[in-house]
Amino acid sequence: MERESRAGGAASGELVTIGEFARLSRLSAKALRRYDELGLLRPALVDPVNGYRYYDPAQVEGARLVAWLRRIGMPLNRIGRVVALDAGAAAVEIRAYWARVEAETAARRDLAMYLVDHLSAEGGTMSRMPDNAEINGSSGSAGSVGALAIRCAALTDIGVVRTANQDAAFAGPRLLAVADGFGEGGAEASAAAIEALKPSTWGRDGALSAADLLNALEDTADSAARAVRDAVAPCEAPDGSGTTLTAMLWTGSRLGLVHIGDSRAYLLRGGELFRITHDHSLVQSMIDDGSLSPEEASSHPGPALLLKALVGEARPAAVAVACRPDVRLQEVLAGDRYLLCSDGLSAVVDTADLRTAVVAADDPEEAVRRLVGLAREAGGPDNVACAVADVVVE
């Protein structure tokens, strides 16, 4: 009878106790008290004498949303933002969160697969070696690739519409990079990210093994993130400033890729142009889950919402690790041509035209001029940064 009377009170809209509300919402009383303390789910009434919490049954849906978001692993501080939004905006925020989770999972999967392949190959090589053989895991690749070098060029352009250029690009014998800054300190952020990558004393003469190069890339990405935070710290709202970064680092025998955001890297090989980076953007996540076709994405009216970028915001350690750039090694062949560009080029010039321009150019200098020209012919709505490198035999 007591249970029936409590249920009747809930149905009539009367306030219910925390125990009853826990039953209705399928949350524990302990969780409800915690969410109250964090401001996620306040009781409708707290008895001023005994401190008992009472809830309105109309709060059940909100409580269940909190529980569901916790089940997908969303941090409590982000849940607080989601539950304060209307339904449509909350759906967009949840989609963005889950797209980031999937991107991070994919990056970890790629690293795991690399480790499996690397260790399997290493084990196979060691098993074939005589006991007294000198072990040099990188000698084979260094011998075949050591005679290669890169010839490169970079160019940025303000575009037709913008009044300031926040893009940056660099091309040198050991580094190829583009960065697309945003926010008040965007220009400083993009310049700082690339500047942090320029020291090239590591990996001299191709001395790094594949494993050491991956570690060096991780360290380099962390240095870029710190440089961006320092560069935008004087801004009024540093958390609103940052940059994308797509860079390739050449050691003389290997090419390492560092990538975060929606700038891109392409490879021209055998006459075909391949995109070798994956955008960290909401639109790309919608393509990935099938809710948007690539054709629809080109005319998507929404803002270019980034799921990952180098930003000025000081983040908790767990979040900072999850938002680190992707790093990986890239196979190198003589005759390869690489293109790195900001979305000021890729968003307005289709892939077929990119390929035509990259194929037709006699050298990297001509290629970057052609590409910037294409962006301007397409209306130049954004800044443009591009860098092109040819892998050549020395």
Side-chain angles (χ1 to χ4, degrees), residues 258-318:
V258 177
H259 169 68
I260 187 168
D262 62 355
S263 295
R264 292 180 176 180
Y266 295 86
L267 165 64
L268 179 71
R269 177 178 289 173
E272 296 296 324
L273 189 68
F274 306 94
R275 176 151 63 106
I276 58 174
T277 54
H278 198 74
D279 293 351
H280 301 134
S281 67
L282 180 60
V283 167
Q284 182 63 58
S285 75
M286 295 172 72
I287 295 173
D288 294 342
D289 67 20
S291 59
L292 200 65
S293 71
E295 295 73 24
E296 292 169 332
S298 62
S299 58
H300 189 265
L305 178 61
L306 294 176
L307 302 180
K308 289 172 65 173
L310 300 178
V311 296
E313 179 184 11
R315 291 166 162 170

Side-chain angles (χ1 to χ4, degrees), residues 99-264:
R100 176 177 289 180
V101 170
E102 290 184 327
E104 292 157 3
T105 301
R108 291 196 297 271
R109 181 194 63 225
D110 290 345
L111 178 57
M113 290 302 98
Y114 161 76
L115 291 172
V116 169
D117 293 342
H118 173 69
L119 293 173
S120 298
E122 186 178 85
T125 301
M126 292 180 67
S127 67
R128 292 192 297 271
M129 285 183 175
D131 291 341
N132 61 351
E134 181 182 354
I135 297 175
N136 186 344
S138 60
S139 60
S141 58
S144 60
V145 186
L148 299 181
I150 58 173
R151 301 286 182 264
C152 52
L155 186 62
T156 67
D157 186 76
I158 196 171
V160 176
V161 176
R162 298 294 178 90
T163 58
N165 191 355
Q166 293 186 310
D167 282 11
F170 180 83
R174 291 190 177 274
L175 172 67
L176 197 71
V178 298
D180 182 355
F182 56 85
E184 176 192 353
E188 292 80 4
S190 60
I194 291 180
E195 194 65 32
L197 302 186
K198 285 185 180 179
S200 56
T201 54
W202 57 270
R204 188 182 292 126
D205 301 324
L208 289 182
S209 68
D212 287 339
L213 179 53
L214 278 176
N215 288 337
L217 290 172
E218 292 275 6
D219 293 342
T220 300
D222 289 344
S223 297
R226 288 193 297 271
V228 169
R229 287 196 297 272
D230 292 343
V232 303
C235 295
E236 235 176 79
D239 57 334
S241 296
T243 185
T244 69
L245 177 65
T246 300
M248 305 194 83
L249 296 99
W250 174 249
T251 69
S253 65
R254 292 183 174 88
L255 204 54
L257 176 68
V258 177
H259 169 68
I260 187 168
D262 62 355
S263 295
R264 292 180 176 180

Side-chain angles (χ1 to χ4, degrees), residues 1 6 46 50 74-75 83 86 137 158 210 220 274 292 327 330 346 352 371 373-374 384 386 393:
M1 291 296 293
R6 288 203 304 266
V46 178
N50 56 31
M74 184 178 286
V83 297
D86 61 52
I158 196 171
T220 300
F274 306 94
L292 200 65
V327 298
Q330 178 67 30
S346 60
L371 292 165
L374 284 176
V384 183
C386 59
V393 177

Side-chain angles (χ1 to χ4, degrees), residues 27-114:
L27 288 170
S28 69
K30 181 179 179 181
L32 290 172
R33 285 190 288 269
R34 176 64 173 158
Y35 296 158
D36 178 16
E37 293 167 359
L38 295 173
L40 292 177
L41 188 63
R42 297 290 194 189
L45 174 68
V46 178
D47 192 304
V49 177
N50 56 31
Y52 290 168
R53 295 170 172 86
Y54 296 90
Y55 292 81
D56 189 324
Q59 295 178 275
V60 167
E61 196 62 29
R64 288 176 177 168
L65 176 60
V66 172
W68 292 330
L69 293 174
R70 286 298 292 154
R71 287 181 65 184
I72 66 172
M74 184 178 286
L76 289 170
N77 62 343
R78 188 160 186 169
I79 290 175
R81 297 198 299 271
V82 172
V83 297
L85 300 172
D86 61 52
V92 171
E93 181 72 11
I94 294 168
R95 177 187 287 279
Y97 167 76
W98 193 248
R100 176 177 289 180
V101 170
E102 290 184 327
E104 292 157 3
T105 301
R108 291 196 297 271
R109 181 194 63 225
D110 290 345
L111 178 57
M113 290 302 98
Y114 161 76

Side-chain angles (χ1 to χ4, degrees), residues 312-382:
E313 179 184 11
R315 291 166 162 170
V319 177
V321 169
C323 294
R324 293 173 80 174
D326 299 341
V327 298
R328 76 163 192 267
L329 305 185
Q330 178 67 30
E331 176 194 11
V332 178
L333 297 177
D336 285 348
R337 173 169 283 181
Y338 289 92
L339 162 64
L340 276 59
C341 65
S342 64
D343 68 340
L345 177 65
S346 60
V348 297
V349 178
D350 65 38
T351 305
D353 291 337
L354 285 180
R355 177 191 171 279
T356 299
V358 174
V359 169
D362 290 332
D363 54 40
E365 290 81 3
E366 181 184 348
V368 294
R369 288 195 299 270
R370 282 176 178 262
L371 292 165
V372 167
L374 284 176
R376 294 186 71 89
E377 289 171 11
D382 199 357

